[in-house]
Amino acid sequence: MMSSAPPPEPPAGAGDDDMESARAAASEYALLAVSDPETEAEPAATSLIPGSAPTYVSYLVTSVRRGDPAQRRHAVRRRFRDFVTLADRLAEAFRGYFVPPRPDKNTVESQVMQKDEFVAQRRAALERYLWRLAEHPAIGPSDELRVFLQAEGKMPLPGSTDVASRMLDGAARLPRQLIAGEEAVAAPQDVVQPAKGGRDLLRIFKELKQSVVTDWGGVKPPLVEEDREFLEKKEKLQEWEQQLTGPGFESRSPRIAQARAEALVKAQQDMGETMGALGLAFVRLTKLETEEAMYDSQRIRAADSRRVATAAVKASRACRDLNAQTVKYLDTLHEHLSIMLSVHTAFSDRASALLTVQTLMSDLASLQSRIEKLEAASSKIFGGDRARIRKVEELRETIRATEDAKFCALREYERIKENNRSELQLLDRERKEDILVMLKGFVTSQAAYAEKIVDGWETVAEETSGYSRGTNNTPSYMD
């Protein structure tokens, strides 16, 4: 459905800090929202017991494209399976890019958590996922994302065939490939996708053989990764990931950033709870002193206890607020750790494309060697061997097809390399910006709340300053 009403302000999912807001403002969309979860019955689902048919949760996905003169609002219903299909299509169409990872299915959490709480968390995660896609300079304006957000009805992108079906299809084709030579050479449109799909088992076996020969046989492949700049950046990213996810709490180990951040959050939470418990204890003491007060000194102590209780409660609230701010800023570490999943996938795309090129080049060398042997054998026979000559012509035809496939595979490899290069530059820039914003916000919030807590206790110290002027630490007015 569509409407021309002006869009509301971007939701919180667009980014809470200035850096994320700037990226959202530069995206293709002025509004992206996931809301209104509804439980629906599976289509064509039947059950012998009324009310026990399988169900799923769908979400209302609302979007408004930036720069649309009519400010049309598109609203479509999507289920989690549709988000999975979108992620699969983006992985195929944007090989070599750091495609933001989709939220996990979290089957265990869906069974342990309350349904409403689980649905609320998934809704927020899906909305953030869409914003990350929209903020990506290549994926944001893509047709895949536009169709997902605007096409009404069921998700128009076809779902991926399951792995078992692809493997069965590939197993059925394998005998014909080995015996009859049917489609022994991968088609140019197939080599631009990884062999892991399973439809072409012969290609999988060839690439596995090439990988084993290269890694274990010590044979140098016809083409190797020679981009030193890429290899250096890849190594630095691995070190960065280790800094985030390194082992335990060894005092000299610097590779524990995320663990230290979690420990800080836990310590601040404990401080807030302790301050709250202290405030409650002084509230009870104040009540006891007030109820049983017979002398002015008891009433004075009760008033002082009330001041301490108030300051402790305020300090507890400040600690809770500070902890929320700390989680907000230090969550940047978790965000960049999740980005590393996309980085590994993009690098895997690059390695897979290189392996495809290496395999095709090895196939060409093997075919050429076979031709030379057949020609040498045929030349020893007067008038030539017609069977060998015919086989040579068939091999030359196979070489031409393999050359075409190699050209497409090499072009795909170069495209993925360029995508890696641009994404590494973007990631490096965004990481520096995010870390700077994180540190600035973290330090500012720590200083502000520390000052607030100190001011509260200084006020208590001034109000009870009479204790320091008295004899034996008792106020002069209690002598």
Side-chain angles (χ1 to χ4, degrees):
M1 69 184 77
M2 291 189 301
S3 65
S4 58
E9 293 297 321
D16 295 325
D17 55 50
D18 296 338
M19 196 59 63
E20 289 186 344
S21 299
R23 291 172 192 165
S27 70
E28 290 284 317
Y29 295 88
L31 170 68
L32 283 174
V34 178
S35 60
D36 193 20
E38 289 185 359
T39 302
E40 302 182 20
E42 289 282 2
T46 58
S47 176
L48 297 177
I49 304 176
S52 62
T55 60
Y56 65 91
V57 177
S58 68
Y59 303 87
L60 184 67
V61 179
T62 308
S63 63
V64 175
R65 287 183 70 88
R66 196 179 305 279
D68 184 358
Q71 290 291 283
R72 290 170 294 181
R73 182 195 298 259
H74 298 270
V76 294
R77 278 275 163 192
R78 296 286 183 259
R79 59 187 296 183
F80 186 77
R81 181 186 299 172
D82 297 330
F83 285 87
V84 174
T85 301
L86 171 64
D88 292 342
R89 292 294 165 262
L90 292 176
E92 293 178 1
F94 294 92
R95 295 183 71 199
Y97 284 103
F98 300 164
V99 181
R102 66 167 174 81
D104 293 331
K105 189 175 180 63
N106 289 333
T107 304
V108 176
E109 289 188 13
S110 66
Q111 297 174 352
V112 175
M113 297 172 59
Q114 294 293 328
K115 181 178 180 181
D116 292 343
E117 182 183 1
F118 174 76
V119 170
Q121 286 191 7
R122 172 168 283 183
R123 182 212 63 76
L126 292 175
E127 182 174 298
R128 184 70 192 113
Y129 172 62
L130 290 180
W131 272 112
R132 289 192 176 282
L133 295 179
E135 293 167 4
H136 194 283
I139 299 174
S142 68
D143 290 338
E144 288 83 1
L145 182 58
R146 179 184 57 80
V147 169
F148 177 86
L149 294 173
Q150 298 182 7
E152 299 183 14
K154 295 182 179 179
M155 182 64 185
L157 296 177
S160 300
T161 307
D162 61 276
V163 176
S165 298
R166 292 197 299 267
M167 294 299 291
L168 289 174
D169 188 19
R173 293 175 55 197
L174 185 59
R176 298 194 297 271
Q177 290 176 314
L178 295 175
I179 299 173
E182 177 185 324
E183 300 179 8
V185 180
Q189 65 270 18
D190 293 334
V191 296
V192 298
Q193 291 296 330
K196 298 177 182 178
R199 292 192 183 279
D200 192 345
L201 291 182
L202 182 60
R203 179 186 168 193
I204 293 178
F205 294 149
K206 285 183 177 181
E207 294 191 359
L208 178 60
K209 175 186 175 183
Q210 178 66 41
S211 178
V212 171
V213 168
T214 302
D215 296 339
W216 297 89
V219 179
K220 183 178 181 180
L223 181 67
V224 296
E225 181 65 73
E226 297 179 342
D227 189 340
R228 297 188 62 84
E229 181 182 2
F230 165 74
L231 295 175
E232 290 176 358
K233 289 185 176 181
K234 181 179 180 181
E235 184 178 357
K236 289 181 179 179
L237 277 177
Q238 291 173 342
E239 293 176 358
W240 162 251
E241 186 176 16
Q242 290 177 347
Q243 295 287 339
L244 296 178
T245 61
F249 278 88
E250 295 88 344
S251 60
R252 296 185 180 181
S253 175
R255 302 181 296 174
I256 50 176
Q258 188 180 27
R260 291 294 188 187
E262 294 172 356
L264 174 61
V265 171
K266 180 66 168 59
Q268 290 182 164
Q269 180 181 349
D270 292 343
M271 177 63 74
E273 293 175 354
T274 302
M275 281 293 180
L278 176 64
L280 182 59
F282 272 95
V283 166
R284 291 172 179 169
L285 180 61
T286 299
K287 182 179 179 182
L288 178 64
E289 290 280 3
T290 303
E291 290 176 350
E292 298 183 0
M294 296 180 61
Y295 305 101
D296 290 342
S297 60
Q298 291 177 304
R299 296 185 182 90
I300 293 173
R301 285 198 301 271
D304 291 338
S305 296
R306 185 181 299 110
R307 294 186 182 97
V308 174
T310 301
V313 170
K314 289 182 177 179
S316 175
R317 292 172 181 170
C319 286
R320 288 199 299 268
D321 294 342
L322 173 60
N323 218 30
Q325 292 294 316
T326 302
V327 170
K328 170 187 171 183
Y329 289 114
L330 295 186
D331 191 55
T332 300
L333 299 175
H334 178 74
E335 294 289 344
H336 277 271
L337 184 59
S338 68
I339 291 174
M340 291 305 300
L341 296 175
S342 303
V343 173
H344 290 313
T345 300
F347 290 169
S348 177
D349 289 338
R350 181 175 184 144
S352 175
L354 176 60
L355 180 60
T356 298
V357 175
Q358 292 172 342
T359 303
L360 290 171
M361 294 177 73
S362 295
D363 287 347
L364 286 170
S366 177
L367 289 169
Q368 190 60 45
S369 176
R370 290 175 61 187
I371 288 177
E372 292 174 358
K373 291 179 180 179
L374 287 171
E375 288 179 339
S378 178
S379 64
K380 297 178 181 179
I381 301 176
F382 180 76
D385 187 333
R386 292 184 178 180
R388 288 190 173 94
I389 293 174
R390 185 168 57 253
K391 185 61 177 178
V392 167
E393 291 302 321
E394 292 176 357
L395 291 175
R396 292 190 188 280
E397 184 63 30
T398 303
I399 285 179
R400 284 191 287 269
T402 306
E403 286 283 3
D404 292 341
K406 187 197 79 171
F407 174 78
C408 293
L410 189 58
R411 184 174 58 185
E412 175 69 5
Y413 174 57
E414 293 297 332
R415 186 180 73 88
I416 291 176
K417 287 173 60 177
E418 178 59 27
N419 293 344
N420 279 179
R421 186 193 64 79
S422 61
E423 288 288 85
L424 285 170
Q425 291 178 348
L426 179 62
L427 177 62
D428 187 55
R429 183 171 66 252
E430 290 185 348
R431 183 176 58 182
K432 292 178 180 178
E433 294 171 349
D434 291 345
I435 296 300
L436 181 61
V437 169
M438 179 192 74
L439 293 177
K440 181 180 179 181
F442 173 75
V443 172
T444 302
S445 61
Q446 290 286 329
Y449 281 97
E451 183 178 359
K452 183 177 181 180
I453 294 173
V454 169
D455 289 344
W457 288 116
E458 285 184 344
T459 301
V460 174
E462 293 175 0
E463 292 174 344
T464 59
S465 59
Y467 286 95
S468 62
R469 295 193 299 268
T471 304
N472 297 325
N473 292 330
T474 58
S476 57
Y477 49 74
M478 294 179 63
D479 290 343

